[in-house]
Amino acid sequence: MRVLITGGAGFIGSHLSDAYLARGDEVFVLDDLSTGSIDNIHHLKGNPRFHYTIESVHHRAAVAELVDQCDVVFHLAAAVGVKLIVESPVRTIETNVHGTEVVLAQANKKKKKVLIASTSEVYGLSNQVPFREDGNLVMGATTKGRWSYACSKAIDEFLALAYWREKKLPTVVVRLFNTVGPRQTGQYGMVIPTFVKQALTGRPITVYGDGTQSRCFAYVGDVVRALIALMDHEGAVGQVFNIGSTEEVTMRALAGRVKALTGSRSEIVFVPYAEAYEEGFEDMPRRVPDVSKISALVGFCPSVPLDDILTRVIAYFRGDVLPSD
Ligand code: UDP
């Protein structure tokens, strides 16, 4: 199979590239290196079944040419990280909405199956935890920059589902919950790489708010297996799936675990949201997926518990050699 991965030099995209190449498939990556990095795909450069194009998903001709050459498309290119989203809302909205329009329109011309990466962020302020795919999405006010990400991704979902209903383009939508593993940088605000780097360098571990907010962290290898299983399954077409772990942890407890596992002397400090992001910032108090839909279809079951994920991320930042996924 020939697989196009937009955002393939990103954290999840590069692991997806690894997995397809390991299966014997051919991988084409399109990435503008805005948040992705050439370092993530450096190890793949000598592989004759690996190809990459440094270009934006907004470039219609580049997307068209790559879609032509491939059998299926993973659209992962997007603005990522709450920090980046709050700081660059124009870029977030344009990248997420326009990029997806281009990819779907080009894929539709050749009727190539497309998997669109959406986000758990679309559940917004919903308190129907755990979140089910058919639950309500509850957005905050448009004056709060954070919600532009959720809204732009919700538009992507509507568009992908509309292409299936109206034009019979096979599309699959996934809502990725917090995903972690080697190659994820703390640069765009993600909490685990941030805490691990702080702990390893003896700097204060910065818990935002009062630290009672919780998340569930899935290992990137588990997430990649789920993406491939959904792409392979005919029954996934026209559907939305949560992908994530159900092991819930508060940020306060997470900071403590990172400190213990690194043996760090870092102090754990609490930083007000207004200072960490912007005045009036609204966080999601809990974010837990209901994964019964994907489990029923493809037997998805996260295999790496949080302590093991943390151990692998710590090893990565220490520069240790990691066991393969
Ligand atoms: N967070 C934190 N300290 C940090 C970075 C993030 O306490 O240095 C918190 C953040 O406010 C959120 C959670 O960790 O409640 C997860 O943040 P992340 O940006 O990783 O993902 P999100 O779930 O917000 O998309």
Side-chain angles (χ1 to χ4, degrees):
M1 197 156 76
R2 281 162 307 166
V3 182
L4 170 58
I5 305 174
T6 74
F11 158 55
I12 299 175
S14 64
H15 284 277
L16 186 61
S17 300
D18 289 343
Y20 270 111
L21 290 167
R23 241 175 56 152
D25 295 309
E26 192 160 357
V27 171
F28 295 75
V29 159
L30 176 68
D31 201 303
D32 66 358
L33 301 183
S34 52
T35 54
S37 162
I38 207 79
D39 293 343
N40 290 340
I41 52 172
H42 184 74
H43 62 292
L44 301 175
K45 278 188 182 167
N47 189 323
R49 285 184 285 106
F50 180 73
H51 319 274
Y52 68 97
T53 306
I54 309 295
E55 187 51 85
S56 155
V57 276
H58 299 291
H59 196 300
R60 216 166 273 277
V63 173
E65 198 182 315
L66 287 164
V67 164
D68 262 2
Q69 294 179 63
C70 293
D71 304 306
V72 296
V73 182
F74 284 88
H75 178 44
L76 306 186
V80 290
V82 177
K83 251 206 163 79
L84 176 70
I85 285 145
V86 169
E87 279 160 18
S88 315
V90 172
R91 176 167 151 204
T92 301
I93 299 165
E94 288 182 352
T95 305
N96 292 357
V97 177
H98 185 244
T100 304
E101 275 170 10
V102 171
V103 169
L104 286 169
Q106 298 312 315
N108 185 51
K109 287 185 183 159
K110 303 288 163 83
K111 295 287 185 245
K112 303 279 173 78
K113 189 171 182 176
V114 188
L115 182 146
I116 300 279
S118 180
T119 167
S120 56
E121 194 57 35
V122 296
Y123 292 106
L125 297 165
S126 168
N127 54 14
Q128 296 175 315
V129 183
F131 299 134
R132 281 172 54 94
E133 292 87 346
D134 55 2
N136 290 335
L137 310 184
V138 184
M139 299 298 151
T142 51
T143 46
K144 315 243 175 197
R146 168 179 200 149
W147 303 115
S148 64
Y149 180 55
C151 282
S152 62
K153 282 293 185 179
I155 285 289
D156 289 352
E157 293 195 18
F158 277 122
L159 194 61
L161 297 172
Y163 262 101
W164 166 239
R165 287 201 196 111
E166 197 179 316
K167 300 178 188 292
K168 289 291 160 258
L169 171 70
T171 58
V172 181
V173 173
V174 296
R175 292 183 181 154
L176 300 178
F177 283 66
N178 297 66
T179 303
V180 213
R183 298 185 201 146
Q184 184 179 43
T185 69
Q187 218 180 327
Y188 306 106
M190 281 82 172
V191 67
I192 287 187
T194 303
F195 280 3
V196 168
K197 283 199 279 188
Q198 289 168 336
L200 290 177
T201 53
R203 283 175 294 142
I205 301 176
T206 53
V207 174
Y208 297 163
D210 64 4
T212 55
Q213 73 274 30
S214 69
R215 296 292 186 269
C216 299
F217 297 95
Y219 188 64
V220 64
D222 284 330
V223 171
V224 159
R225 264 191 295 280
L227 293 174
I228 294 174
L230 289 175
M231 183 58 97
D232 283 346
H233 202 300
E234 274 311 305
V237 169
Q239 305 277 333
V240 179
F241 296 91
N242 289 334
I243 303 180
S245 157
T246 52
E247 186 183 347
E248 191 175 2
V249 63
T250 65
M251 295 310 101
R252 185 188 281 258
L254 180 69
R257 277 159 96 161
V258 169
K259 184 172 154 92
L261 285 167
T262 50
S264 169
R265 291 181 168 194
S266 289
E267 172 193 11
I268 296 174
V269 297
F270 293 86
V271 181
Y273 283 120
E275 214 174 282
Y277 298 107
E278 62 178 356
E279 202 54 56
F281 180 84
E282 278 170 328
D283 201 4
M284 291 174 74
R286 286 181 75 196
R287 184 185 275 183
V288 183
D290 180 320
V291 290
S292 48
K293 188 173 174 186
I294 186 171
S295 303
L297 189 75
V298 297
F300 172 72
C301 179
S303 67
V304 188
L306 181 60
D307 277 347
D308 291 359
I309 294 176
L310 293 176
T311 304
R312 291 183 199 195
V313 173
I314 291 164
Y316 171 71
F317 280 111
R318 281 194 169 131
D320 293 354
V321 179
L322 282 166
S324 75
D325 293 337

